[in-house]
Amino acid sequence: MRTQVGIIGAGPAGLLLSHLLHLRGISSVVLEKRSRDYVERRVRAGVLEQGTVDTLIAAGVGERLLREGLPHHGIELRYDGERHRIAFEKLVPGRAITVYGQQEVVKDLIAARLEAGGDIRFEVEDVAAHSLADRPYLTFGGERLDCDVIAGCDGFHGVSRPAVPPGVLQTYERDYPFAWLGILAEATPSSDELIYARTERGFALHSMRSPTISRFYLQVPPDTDAADWPDERVWAELRTRLETVPGFTLTTGEIIEKSVTPMRGFVTEPMQYGRLYLAGDAAHIVPPTGAKGLNLAVADVRVLTEALTAFFHDGSTGALDGYSAACLKRVWRAQHFSWWMTTLLHTFDSDDAYGRRLQLSHLDYVTSSEAAATTLAENYVGLPW
């Protein structure tokens, strides 16, 4: 078999790349080790930046997003018994975020690719990348796929990044001393916008996925087992951390999913080697506080699409050679913003009274200074492409 671009991974990065390349007349094959049902049900991020929404609409896969997505024009910071709204419509006019689950984006992209005759192969075994320096090809399940370029979109634990020879890539990492316990509940959202709550007991986040499904997160120790958190305990802790302002009552319901997410930052440089180009979680991880993971993957894919278009249509290699440098500027900006939001809102050392006072002082500054609030807002909705 032969194609122009071999794509490892049928997550948002791989699927969007395949679709954008199709719109440019460039062929691709997507290889995914999981089943279609698994990737369409896998619950991940749900906050889409303005640029991500615009990209999906322009690619012709935004019909359901426009119909079912929940546009938000602000977020709430809650601390010290008070609520403070960061108003996007005032601080960054014309830009917002949209709440629309990552699994819904994946469903839309799979449907679009299959309708257009795209080649997506689910449940493939033993995927491996070879001859990356000059004549790349992929093997899987006893078959071989020759290609001009390989795109590694297979996540942090995938096979694409380890295929690079040792010593080529440099990695930067930071592990945080806590995790997030996340739940999905059949409960009407208690707020029209996301609530980021900083308390002495730890951070909490109130989010949503639809008018009837709510998403919550609790800061917990990194070794937490979700089984140690029965539903009653989860709701009690959420009430303690969120019902801290007058008039607010948390709506509860049946919990339909429960999981623990570690908090870490990770970047690999460069994001390319030979004819292999890494995108999304295969190249970088951010703590979810800043809601940047999926959006960074889309940004990578936009850059890679333009570079591949120049390569296949004009024979130009300049944009491909500069792919990593172009992406890393945005990656490191998102890393900093995610680190900043994380350190601003989470409880670290319980004995660090000095650090807690610094947090409160900074929160006071962000919620009282238009300049500081604008910095938060423009990073949160996504910097312009």
Side-chain angles (χ1 to χ4, degrees):
M1 293 182 296
R2 176 163 182 80
T3 190
Q4 289 172 292
V5 182
I7 301 173
I8 310 175
L15 292 168
L16 180 59
L17 177 61
S18 178
H19 189 64
L20 293 178
L21 292 176
H22 163 72
L23 296 177
R24 306 291 181 92
I26 300 169
S27 67
S28 67
V29 174
V30 180
L31 303 178
E32 169 58 50
K33 70 176 182 179
R34 303 286 191 174
S35 68
R36 177 179 177 179
D37 180 69
Y38 179 90
V39 298
E40 289 188 338
R41 290 176 179 270
R42 180 172 47 191
V43 176
R44 290 291 188 271
V47 174
L48 307 185
E49 294 178 354
Q50 184 68 58
T52 296
V53 171
D54 294 343
T55 298
L56 294 172
I57 293 173
V61 291
E63 180 181 350
R64 200 161 65 93
L65 164 63
L66 289 172
R67 186 175 66 248
E68 300 178 14
L70 306 175
H72 286 201
H73 298 277
I75 60 171
E76 180 182 319
L77 300 182
R78 185 172 293 189
Y79 69 97
D80 223 14
E82 296 182 351
R83 53 170 52 134
H84 304 268
R85 184 171 184 266
I86 305 298
F88 301 156
E89 71 275 11
K90 173 186 176 183
L91 301 168
V92 283
R95 295 159 66 195
I97 57 107
T98 298
V99 174
Y100 188 67
Q102 176 174 311
Q103 72 273 24
E104 304 306 323
V105 174
V106 167
K107 291 175 187 175
D108 296 340
L109 287 167
I110 289 175
R113 292 303 304 121
L114 295 180
E115 182 179 350
D119 193 344
I120 308 174
R121 307 197 177 199
F122 295 101
E123 299 183 80
V124 298
E125 298 180 350
D126 303 322
V127 176
H130 309 271
S131 193
L132 302 178
D134 47 15
R135 296 183 179 179
Y137 66 95
L138 295 167
T139 55
F140 61 98
E143 300 189 61
R144 170 170 170 154
L145 174 65
D146 289 291
C147 45
D148 299 294
V149 170
I150 296 174
C153 306
D154 50 343
F156 182 78
H157 298 290
V159 301
S160 57
R161 191 178 66 252
V164 177
V168 172
L169 303 179
Q170 182 172 359
T171 58
Y172 302 86
E173 299 182 69
R174 171 160 295 180
D175 292 316
Y176 292 84
F178 40 74
W180 274 11
L181 173 67
I183 70 161
L184 203 64
E186 293 181 340
T188 302
S190 309
S191 169
D192 293 332
E193 296 177 337
L194 277 70
I195 301 172
Y196 286 77
R198 183 262 182 212
T199 76
E200 293 298 322
R201 295 180 63 89
F203 169 78
L205 173 60
H206 173 292
S207 183
M208 62 286 294
R209 287 294 179 270
S210 76
T212 59
I213 301 293
S214 293
R215 183 72 160 159
F216 299 95
Y217 295 98
L218 287 167
Q219 177 186 347
V220 293
D223 58 351
T224 294
D225 185 343
D228 295 332
W229 282 79
D231 295 0
E232 297 78 9
R233 183 184 179 190
V234 171
W235 289 122
E237 192 62 30
L238 282 169
R239 288 193 187 96
T240 299
R241 299 190 194 184
L242 290 170
E243 292 182 347
T244 56
V245 297
F248 178 84
T249 302
L250 185 68
T251 302
T252 62
E254 181 183 356
I255 295 177
I256 53 179
E257 184 189 270
K258 196 180 299 179
S259 61
V260 176
T261 301
M263 300 283 284
R264 66 184 320 216
F266 172 87
V267 180
T268 187
E269 294 188 9
M271 292 169 54
Q272 62 191 90
Y273 169 73
R275 292 293 182 88
L276 169 69
Y277 300 88
L278 304 174
D281 287 358
H284 41 71
I285 299 285
V286 289
T289 324
K292 292 292 168 243
L294 170 60
N295 297 295
L296 276 182
V298 171
D300 292 346
V301 165
R302 284 176 58 110
V303 175
L304 187 54
T305 297
E306 295 301 324
L308 290 172
T309 300
F311 175 68
F312 286 113
H313 288 184
D314 306 322
S316 171
T317 61
L320 274 179
D321 293 341
Y323 165 73
S324 180
C327 290
L328 285 169
K329 290 182 179 180
R330 193 178 193 93
V331 167
W332 278 111
R333 174 86 298 275
Q335 288 284 338
H336 181 267
F337 178 67
S338 300
W339 165 85
W340 179 76
M341 286 284 284
T342 301
T343 55
L344 184 66
L345 294 163
H346 289 73
T347 302
F348 285 80
D349 188 341
S350 60
D351 296 327
D352 185 12
Y354 181 86
R356 293 199 299 275
R357 294 302 299 166
L358 286 179
Q359 277 184 318
L360 293 172
S361 174
H362 201 159
L363 280 164
D364 285 341
Y365 174 59
V366 169
T367 55
S368 62
S369 164
E370 184 170 320
T374 300
T375 295
L376 191 161
E378 70 174 359
N379 279 275
Y380 196 90
V381 302
L383 297 174
W385 300 111

